[in-house]
Amino acid sequence: MTPRDSVYLQSAGGEDLLALLSEISACTLCRDAPLGGPAKALPHDPRPVCVASATAPILIAGQAPGTRVHASGRPFTDPSGDRLRQWLGVDEALFYDPENFAIVPMGFCFPGLDAKGGDLPPRRECAPAWRDRLMASMPQVRLILAIGQYAQAWHLGAMREKTLTQTVAGWRGILAATQSGCAVLPLPHPSWRNSGWIRKNPWFETQLLPELKRRVSELL
């Protein structure tokens, strides 16, 4: 594999972490060795987006880059990023400083669009190949924000409920169960398409978000 332009990768860390990110930048598994055979291959060149850090206390575990992030090479450069920063109570300068936040989606590359124009799920090759090694390289992380069902499935395991709503509604119990190590807080995706979900679940804004802002403020 030949490393590509690493503009899509940012890091605050030592040589080991930089070497790992260099490997990720050269990864072509989803295009050249896709799970499910050649017909399931990524329909475009891989362009991984990942912000890893050996100092950031907060890890944002999202889903996968969308079309705008695929073009910009910077995570959450879209309206969902604006909403996420509102949820966190931080500005862009704080958000994009890898000393503060690591941003490691479940799939590093834009997976493409489905027949209805929505984003496909994260590529299945990505997390098994890279996630354990990346997590092991960031032992300083104290809070993981598990955004969406794919991140919650990976980071919560048996603590994840049948639906995203049930999982997020159980945030207090999840925090209590993970406090002794790295706390995990489940969140819905900040896409504006989820505005209806937020209206139907007012406890998210009145109860969960104040706790999220408090923890972020304390850790930063």
Side-chain angles (χ1 to χ4, degrees):
M1 295 185 292
T2 302
R4 295 182 303 278
D5 186 348
S6 62
V7 68
Y8 300 99
L9 298 163
Q10 293 178 310
S11 170
E15 293 183 1
D16 290 345
L17 186 54
L18 290 173
L20 177 55
L21 286 174
S22 180
E23 289 185 57
I24 291 171
S25 75
C27 181
T28 58
L29 284 173
C30 54
R31 186 191 66 192
D32 299 339
L35 293 174
K40 300 294 185 180
L42 189 74
H44 50 261
D45 284 340
R47 247 183 174 181
V49 175
C50 173
V51 178
S53 174
T55 57
I58 303 169
L59 170 69
I60 298 173
Q63 182 163 292
T67 53
R68 294 190 185 187
V69 173
H70 180 64
S72 72
R74 208 177 189 198
F76 291 104
T77 51
D78 52 23
S80 66
D82 295 336
R83 173 175 262 178
L84 177 59
R85 287 183 282 276
Q86 291 174 4
W87 289 357
L88 300 172
V90 300
D91 59 18
E92 288 194 2
L94 286 174
F95 184 79
Y96 287 114
D97 186 344
E99 296 285 341
N100 299 323
F101 293 96
I103 306 174
V104 183
M106 297 307 300
F108 297 142
C109 295
F110 170 53
L113 301 174
D114 62 23
K116 296 181 179 180
D119 290 354
L120 289 168
R123 296 293 307 191
R124 293 188 295 147
E125 302 86 3
C126 198
W130 301 112
R131 200 160 194 86
D132 283 341
R133 290 177 64 190
L134 265 173
M135 294 304 300
S137 73
M138 299 186 289
Q140 83 291 341
V141 170
R142 292 293 173 263
L143 176 63
I144 296 174
L145 305 179
I147 298 176
Q149 60 176 323
Y150 299 101
Q152 290 162 15
W154 183 276
H155 288 283
L156 293 177
M159 286 188 290
R160 179 189 176 216
E161 299 290 348
K162 292 183 179 180
T163 69
L164 181 141
T165 299
Q166 290 173 328
T167 301
V168 178
W171 63 273
R172 289 187 180 86
I174 291 170
L175 279 176
T178 57
Q179 287 286 30
S180 60
C182 178
V184 181
L185 183 61
L187 299 173
H189 196 280
S191 168
W192 290 92
R193 294 182 180 181
N194 283 335
S195 295
W197 183 94
I198 293 173
R199 287 193 296 270
K200 292 178 182 178
N201 298 279
W203 50 265
F204 176 74
E205 290 188 312
T206 60
Q207 300 174 30
L208 191 156
L209 286 188
E211 179 65 14
L212 170 61
K213 288 184 173 72
R214 185 187 71 79
R215 287 176 178 260
V216 169
S217 178
E218 286 184 354
L219 288 169
L220 298 186

